[in-house]
Each structure stands twice: as C-alpha cells, then as structure tokens.
Amino acid sequence: MVQTLDEDGTVDPWRRRARRTRRQMPLWQELPLLLVVAFCLAVLIRTFLLQAFFIPSGSMEDTLLIGDRVLVNKVVYDVRDPVRGEVVVFRGTDRWAPQVDEQPEPGFAGKLTRTVGDLVGVSRPGEKDFIKRVIGLPGDRIKCCDSQGRVTVNGTPLDEPYVLRDSPLDLPPNPGECRSRRFDEVVVPPGQIFVMGDHREVSQDARCQGPVPIDNVVGRAFMVVWPSSRWNALSVPSTFDDVAGPTAASSGAPPVRPTPQGGVLLLLPLVAVLRGSRAFRTVPSSPAT
C-alpha cells in the first residue's frame, strides 16, 4: 500500500481519511451522480455539437437507406454556409407538408418522457424535419431539363451519380407534386438553398415545396454510423466542381469547395459510443409513395 507523506515524512491523516471516505461511498450514491453527469453531457452534445438521426423512408436512396443512422454536425454552419452537394437536415417551411403524425402522449409521465427524450436527442421526430441534398445556393438558377434530361445549375448540366432512380420525363410538371423530373427555372432567393432528394421518383422536395431558409438548417449529415456494414462518410461529390457561382457565371471565378472538416477526427470516440446505442432520433426524408 502506498501512503501519502508530508514533507517531514509523516503520514497525512487528512488525506488518509479522504481516501477512506471515497472508497466507502456506496454504489447507490455513485450511480445517481454518474447518471446526472451522463445526462448533462448528452444534452450538451445534442444541443451544440452533433445529433444522431434515423432514416425511415427512401427519398435519399441509395445514399441513405431506410433504417440508416447518420450523425449530423450542428456547428459547421455556424462558421460557414452550406455548400452544393452536402446532405443537410433542416426544418421545412410552412409550404413543406408535415411528414410525421404528431400524437401527444397522454398524462404527465408521457409529457415528461418526451421532454427528456427531446433534450438528449432520442425522441420522436418533429413533423417538419427533413434530410436532403443541397443543389442550389442563393442566387443560383436551377431548372430541368437539358437535352439529356439533366438538372442544370447556372447553365451547367449536372452528372449526378448518386441519383439512381430519377423522376419520369413524360409527366407534366405539377406545382403541388414532385413526380415529374421537369420544372421551370427557379432563382434561389437570398438566404435560402434549393434541396432535392437522391431518389427523385419519391422525394418531395424544393421542386414542388420551395427553397429552404439557411437559418432552418439544423446541420450537415456527415457520416452513416449504423448499421455497421454501411459505416461510411457522406462526402461532397465532384458533381458541382464546374458549377460557377451566381455572381461568377460570367467572370470565370473558380467554384467554391468546402473546407475539410478536421473536427470529424475529434468526434470519432463519440461515434464509437453512438454506434453501440439504439437511441437515435428519427428524421423523415420524404414519404415513399
């Protein structure tokens, strides 16, 4: 046994008593303290850093499949705006149809459970939460289609390898439904983004529900963490490399590319913890029709 000695070589009785007191703390006292600390950490992480989301529908297939869990970086857009090609979680505007039927829990216990679940990020989704890919930025001109049936941004056609099932070309455009691939040119308003799902046949997105304010963006989905067989980073494709900015279309300025997220490495320990947990929040991508 190692003892703590004072400068004169004697045993410090105060430190010895403190050590004995810590050893004698019963489990029933330590456990509530550990739970409180864990809860506070979960709230801080969920509020300021990252949050896990569950994908329940197929509008982002095959990038995101039904049942996938993704991690969302909630701080990246505090230092910069979204970039074309990124997958983002956002709150839809009043034009976006609700995707989740809200059923309030009866009684005090149900309300308390929902409140606690929302604090740590494991509650049911809000009816206006969506996940899509950024196609256009403020000032961009977006339309479909060119002679090959492709979406164009500022006159540049997009080759989109992540779109495996596109909407049919023979359906006429419908302002209230996104089944048709074709839509008239849209100029993205200031402070907003134009988003679309990767599974264009079923995705209800900005084609028919309008652009989304950047202020409504919750964060960037940057990694699939569950199931383990699909653990992968959601990187930005090279699709938009040749797209000029709205003010650079005639000046030949180079396209804007996102800066690498060095914070991802710092989050890897948290990813390992979250991969072993089933406590994930659900975010609708769009109804599978």
Side-chain angles (χ1 to χ4, degrees), residues 198-222:
D198 288 355
H199 188 176
R200 303 281 164 81
E201 285 185 327
V202 302
S203 177
Q204 301 298 303
D205 48 43
R207 289 174 290 172
C208 58
Q209 303 196 90
V212 177
I214 295 177
D215 289 342
N216 284 24
V217 177
V218 175
R220 177 190 173 188
F222 68 93

Side-chain angles (χ1 to χ4, degrees), residues 15-203:
R15 294 186 180 181
R16 184 170 53 190
R17 286 196 300 270
R19 212 169 39 246
R20 184 164 54 247
T21 302
R22 288 196 296 271
R23 286 200 303 268
Q24 293 176 350
M25 180 177 289
L27 179 62
W28 66 268
Q29 290 181 349
E30 291 184 351
L31 186 58
L33 178 61
L34 292 174
L35 291 176
V36 170
V37 171
F39 177 80
C40 292
L41 286 175
V43 172
L44 289 174
I45 291 172
R46 184 262 187 211
T47 303
F48 299 108
L49 296 179
L50 75 162
Q51 187 172 353
F53 288 86
F54 172 76
I55 307 301
S57 67
S59 78
M60 282 296 293
E61 292 178 343
D62 283 338
T63 303
L64 299 174
L65 304 181
I66 296 175
D68 282 353
R69 277 78 165 174
V70 300
L71 282 184
V72 173
N73 185 332
K74 302 182 72 173
V75 299
V76 61
Y77 297 139
D78 290 335
V79 297
R80 66 168 177 86
D81 287 336
V83 172
R84 301 185 195 98
E86 292 180 330
V87 177
V88 297
V89 172
F90 59 93
R91 296 181 301 275
T93 65
D94 292 339
R95 291 186 57 183
W96 286 67
Q99 302 301 299
V100 178
D101 296 329
E102 291 291 333
Q103 298 177 357
E105 299 288 346
F108 174 77
K111 294 179 180 179
L112 179 61
T113 301
R114 173 166 291 188
T115 300
V116 173
D118 184 66
L119 285 174
V120 298
V122 299
S123 64
R124 293 181 59 198
E127 64 176 6
K128 288 287 189 175
D129 290 337
F130 300 86
I131 183 166
K132 304 289 181 185
R133 187 181 298 276
V134 178
I135 303 297
L137 302 177
D140 282 346
R141 295 179 175 272
I142 306 169
K143 66 178 180 179
C144 192
C145 305
D146 69 352
S147 60
Q148 300 181 35
R150 296 174 297 183
V151 175
T152 65
V153 178
N154 298 331
T156 302
L158 304 180
D159 292 316
E160 301 179 280
Y162 45 81
V163 177
L164 299 182
R165 287 175 295 279
D166 212 333
S167 301
L169 275 169
D170 56 352
L171 288 178
N174 185 342
E177 191 176 17
C178 297
R179 293 189 62 197
S180 174
R181 189 186 313 187
R182 294 185 287 119
F183 59 90
D184 295 333
E185 183 178 84
V186 175
V187 179
V188 184
Q192 302 193 33
I193 54 176
F194 192 92
V195 295
M196 298 173 69
D198 288 355
H199 188 176
R200 303 281 164 81
E201 285 185 327
V202 302
S203 177

